[in-house]
Amino acid sequence: MPVPTVLAAVHAALPAVLPTTVPGGALSTVDWPLVLRSAPTIALGAVRGTIPLAALSFVGGMVIAVGIALMRLSRNAVARGVGRAYVSVVRGTPLLVQLFVIFYGLPSIGLVINPWPSAILAFSLNVGGYAAEIVRAAILSVPQGQWEAAYVIGMSHRRALGRIILPQAARVSVPPLSNTFISLVKDTSLASLILVTELFREAQKIAAFSQEFMLLYLEAALIYWLICLVLSAGQARLETRLERHVAR
């Protein structure tokens, strides 16, 4: 085919594959009234669903994490093996699969759990697997001399752990655990797949009604981002306050 003919064909096809307006003109096509009307509903979904779900799951996950971390550090080979297996399974399988196994899989063996408890259980188990390694590393980071000093003044192993070691480990683990919580806030969007009403679920319902999927999903993403910005600022402030109590 002659070159001029090819160029003419390409020129004729360009309008079909390229936008005919400049990017700035896209703003005029945004349904701003819909954005303003939907924002309170989506934000309320975050307040009533996303944040409580993340907070409850994180607390449950931390209880699991401390227990698994102590099992991983135990002198008992069976306890160490169970802890290692738990961490391996949780970290080696997708969170979505874990969520579906609990909500859709357990009813097949006669165990039916409602959406909210299912989501909290799945997220707690997942956080426990990841946070356990953070807690374990934080405990190991405490100098051995702290244990020896506790034993010298007559403390038992359990008391030394609770009064001396864990408080120091908690300070060390704040940054990675804060990142885990921020990630959990975003992961709660998966709960919409089991009909939990949270931020993303509210956006889905409005998008299905209005057919403005791109607009509503971008709005949901913006609210997630704002929540994470606030949490990141709180994390930075907490780390700054903890640094004041660290001996130099």
Side-chain angles (χ1 to χ4, degrees):
M1 182 181 294
V3 174
T5 304
V6 173
L7 293 177
V10 172
H11 180 74
L14 284 177
V17 297
L18 295 178
T20 57
T21 59
V22 296
L27 293 177
S28 62
T29 65
V30 174
D31 189 348
W32 292 110
L34 176 62
V35 172
L36 296 177
R37 289 195 308 269
S38 61
T41 302
I42 298 176
L44 192 60
V47 173
R48 291 181 175 178
T50 298
I51 296 175
L53 180 59
L56 291 173
S57 300
F58 187 76
V59 171
M62 286 308 303
V63 172
I64 296 172
V66 172
I68 296 298
L70 293 179
M71 291 175 66
R72 294 270 280 134
L73 295 171
S74 173
R75 296 177 181 177
N76 187 296
V78 175
R80 289 199 310 272
V82 171
R84 188 180 299 110
Y86 178 86
V87 172
S88 177
V89 170
V90 169
R91 297 177 66 177
T93 56
L95 174 56
L96 183 59
V97 173
Q98 298 166 15
L99 186 63
F100 275 31
V101 165
I102 291 173
F103 184 70
Y104 293 112
L106 291 182
S108 65
I109 60 173
L111 184 57
V112 179
I113 307 178
N114 290 330
W116 257 87
S118 294
I120 292 174
L121 178 59
F123 292 140
S124 296
L125 292 173
N126 187 267
V127 168
Y130 284 91
E133 291 300 277
I134 296 175
V135 174
R136 183 175 73 92
I139 293 175
L140 291 175
S141 72
V142 178
Q144 184 64 28
Q146 298 292 313
W147 287 100
E148 296 170 357
Y151 295 150
V152 166
I153 62 176
M155 285 188 175
S156 64
H157 180 84
R158 180 175 299 180
R159 192 173 183 186
L161 180 66
R163 298 287 299 275
I164 305 297
I165 305 303
L166 285 181
Q168 297 182 64
R171 184 167 58 233
V172 173
S173 63
V174 164
L177 288 179
S178 298
N179 292 333
T180 299
F181 181 69
I182 292 174
S183 296
L184 176 61
V185 169
K186 295 179 290 183
D187 289 341
T188 56
S189 60
L190 294 175
S192 63
L193 297 174
I194 60 169
L195 308 180
V196 172
T197 302
E198 41 73 63
L199 189 161
F200 191 64
R201 179 65 176 171
E202 294 289 3
Q204 283 182 313
K205 290 191 292 186
I206 299 173
F209 179 78
S210 65
Q211 295 298 301
E212 292 284 354
F213 294 99
M214 175 67 78
L215 180 62
L216 270 300
Y217 291 162
L218 287 176
E219 185 176 5
L222 175 62
I223 295 177
Y224 276 116
W225 179 52
L226 292 176
I227 293 173
C228 291
L229 283 179
V230 173
L231 293 176
S232 297
Q235 173 188 351
R237 187 168 183 177
L238 178 60
E239 290 178 14
T240 301
R241 293 190 63 179
L242 290 176
E243 282 294 323
R244 299 174 184 172
H245 303 286
V246 177
R248 300 295 183 184

